[in-house]
Amino acid sequence: MAQADSRALALGVLAGAAGISLAIVCFRKIGAGGGRVLHLSSNRDHTAGSLGLQTGQAEVLDRLGALIHCVSELKEEVKALKDALPHLQDNVRDQLRGRSRDDISARRASPLHRTPTRRKRAGVSDRSEEQSSEEAESEGGYITALTDSEEEESDDEQRPLQEPVDELTALLQKADRLHSCNGEEKAQGLNFLLERKAEFDQKCQYLWRLSRAYADAHDFAVDHAEKKSCAENGKKVGEEAISINPLCAEGHQWYAILCGLLSEYESIQNKIKNGYLFKDHLDKAIELKPEDPLSYYLLGRWCYAVSQCTWIERKVAATLFGEPPSATVQDALQNFLKVEEISPKYSKFNYVFLAKCYKDLGQRSQAQQMCDAASAMNIQTKEDEEAQKELDTIVASL
């Protein structure tokens, strides 16, 4: 019995040892397998990391390539602008002269008018829209310059061409230029305007200039009959101008001047009548255009002439028209001073009449100052020559 128990105990010990050995072997196998699993997982992570690195490098290379492409385009456009700079002055002059749209389009074919454009980058995916702030800053200057150029080009295309000047405006501008000339060119103004009378004889702006041209022609005419004819025709045209537009200051002004010129060739009765017309239309011209020095100068001349009328002339005027014209040297002086206020050094003759007024009023020192001012002005026109003759007389009497 004891021997049997010993055998059983020995067999149990052996079985227990075998079980423990088997457990150890299984554990080692499982551990080895787990190591292989961990090793495989580690390999996968390493492979994924390598692929991510390669993708990032490719994206950076794409962006660098796009940046190099932009710089290359910018260099080409800078070179084109540099080549076009020598022709910049000619292009600007042509545009200011208002050439036709076809001419402008032809000039835009030159390098100066080539608008910088950015072509779509090849090989850059939609992810380029998500560029980093650093890349946006690097291209910021180029984008701004590009936008400005495109806006300027767009403005050039939308800006209307300079509208051509109509025939009447061109005619009036040339008439004004001829009037401002001296000598024969000024005398040509009348024939120049008469050639277009049939076209514009219902335009006030044309008619008052034609009246002015008759006054210019009167001054250059030598024959007495020719002078009278110019004065008569000029007065008639001036009357037509103010009938078409009663609110035209220049129309009233030149009608008054022609009335004054015609009075030199009329009878006493018509001379006085024209004197009244002269004053009425000058007052109207000043009312419509109060800052025109010519109207005040003419009114000063009228006041001075009336102040010098004799008693007999005043009686004749009173007999014919009921009330003679009335004006004093002081009235004339105020008008001539107004001319100087509006336009200093307006004319040599204005200083001469200021000297006359001061002399008549007994203010000899002021008269001498006006004579000095008149002497300082050059003789440029026929009127200046006449003013110089009167100036010499005044200086001799002071």
Side-chain angles (χ1 to χ4, degrees):
M1 202 54 198
Q3 186 178 0
D5 292 335
S6 298
R7 287 179 180 177
L9 181 60
L11 289 173
V13 171
L14 292 173
I20 290 170
S21 300
L22 181 60
I24 291 171
V25 171
C26 289
F27 177 79
R28 287 178 178 175
K29 288 182 178 181
I30 292 172
R36 285 194 297 270
V37 171
L38 291 173
H39 182 68
L40 289 173
S41 176
S42 176
N43 288 340
R44 290 194 192 98
D45 292 342
H46 179 69
T47 303
S50 299
L51 291 174
L53 180 59
Q54 292 175 0
T55 302
Q57 291 175 346
E59 183 177 353
V60 171
L61 288 174
D62 287 343
R63 293 180 180 180
L64 287 174
L67 181 59
I68 292 172
H69 184 69
C70 288
V71 172
S72 193
E73 284 184 346
L74 182 60
K75 288 174 63 179
E76 291 178 0
E77 288 163 6
V78 169
K79 183 178 181 300
L81 290 173
K82 184 178 179 181
D83 293 339
L85 281 177
H87 306 289
L88 178 62
Q89 184 177 359
D90 294 337
N91 283 301
V92 171
R93 185 184 299 110
D94 291 342
Q95 289 180 1
L96 291 176
R97 288 176 179 173
R99 285 193 174 181
S100 65
R101 189 178 295 275
D102 293 337
D103 292 339
I104 293 176
S105 299
R107 289 199 308 275
R108 283 179 181 162
S110 67
L112 180 62
H113 294 280
R114 281 182 4 209
T115 304
T117 56
R118 297 182 65 185
R119 293 177 289 277
K120 187 175 181 180
R121 302 169 185 170
V124 180
S125 63
D126 294 338
R127 67 176 178 275
S128 62
E129 297 178 358
E130 301 176 358
Q131 294 178 343
S132 64
S133 60
E134 291 84 359
E135 182 180 355
E137 289 178 2
S138 67
E139 294 185 14
Y142 177 69
I143 292 173
T144 302
L146 170 65
T147 305
D148 292 341
S149 299
E150 290 175 343
E151 289 178 354
E152 290 174 3
E153 185 69 19
S154 176
D155 291 342
D156 288 342
E157 292 176 354
Q158 294 178 3
R159 188 183 297 115
L161 294 175
Q162 183 179 0
E163 295 187 6
V165 178
D166 61 89
E167 290 188 15
L168 177 58
T169 301
L171 180 76
L172 300 181
Q173 289 175 349
K174 184 173 181 180
D176 291 340
R177 286 197 300 270
L178 291 174
H179 174 69
S180 64
C181 295
N182 295 319
E184 295 182 358
E185 287 183 304
K186 190 171 186 177
Q188 293 172 2
L190 178 60
N191 290 332
F192 171 73
L193 288 172
L194 286 175
E195 291 174 356
R196 310 296 293 275
K197 191 174 188 299
E199 300 174 58
F200 304 114
D201 62 350
Q202 295 302 311
K203 302 291 185 180
C204 177
Q205 294 298 313
Y206 166 82
L207 289 173
W208 76 255
R209 284 176 171 83
L210 180 58
S211 178
R212 182 182 66 184
Y214 272 115
D216 292 338
H218 169 274
D219 294 340
F220 284 99
V222 178
D223 183 69
H224 182 276
E226 185 180 358
K227 282 180 172 291
K228 182 178 179 180
S229 176
C230 288
E232 289 175 339
N233 291 328
K235 180 185 174 183
K236 186 183 300 183
V237 171
E239 189 172 1
E240 293 174 5
I242 58 178
S243 66
I244 292 175
N245 183 7
L247 300 180
C248 178
E250 291 82 2
H252 287 281
Q253 184 184 80
W254 285 98
Y255 178 70
I257 291 173
L258 268 299
C259 288
L261 292 177
L262 186 59
S263 65
E264 299 177 12
Y265 312 100
E266 297 283 350
S267 62
I268 297 288
Q269 182 176 353
N270 288 334
K271 182 177 293 188
I272 296 174
K273 179 181 178 181
N274 283 326
Y276 280 109
L277 289 174
F278 182 93
K279 175 67 163 56
D280 291 342
H281 286 278
L282 269 185
D283 289 342
K284 187 65 175 178
I286 291 174
E287 176 187 342
L288 294 171
K289 195 173 181 180
E291 295 303 316
D292 189 342
L294 176 59
S295 294
Y296 290 101
Y297 170 73
L298 294 171
L299 186 56
R301 293 281 299 261
W302 183 88
C303 290
Y304 189 82
V306 170
S307 70
Q308 304 300 309
C309 286
T310 63
W311 178 83
I312 295 177
E313 291 172 333
R314 292 178 184 276
K315 290 295 290 183
V316 171
T319 302
L320 295 174
F321 299 99
E323 183 180 355
S326 176
T328 65
V329 174
Q330 187 65 40
D331 295 332
L333 176 64
Q334 294 304 314
N335 283 290
F336 292 129
L337 289 174
K338 183 68 174 180
V339 173
E340 185 67 12
E341 175 188 336
I342 297 173
S343 179
K345 299 182 180 180
Y346 176 72
S347 70
K348 195 179 189 74
F349 240 139
N350 193 65
Y351 282 130
V352 168
F353 275 97
L354 279 169
K356 284 185 175 183
C357 291
Y358 281 126
K359 177 177 175 292
D360 292 348
L361 293 172
Q363 302 177 23
R364 301 178 68 85
S365 61
Q366 288 90 338
Q368 186 62 55
Q369 291 178 5
M370 295 302 105
C371 289
D372 294 340
S375 300
M377 297 188 69
N378 296 328
I379 299 176
Q380 297 179 343
T381 65
K382 185 177 180 180
E383 187 181 52
D384 291 339
E385 295 176 358
E386 296 175 0
Q388 184 62 46
K389 293 177 182 178
E390 295 197 28
L391 177 62
D392 295 338
T393 303
I394 298 172
V395 170
S397 65
L398 289 176

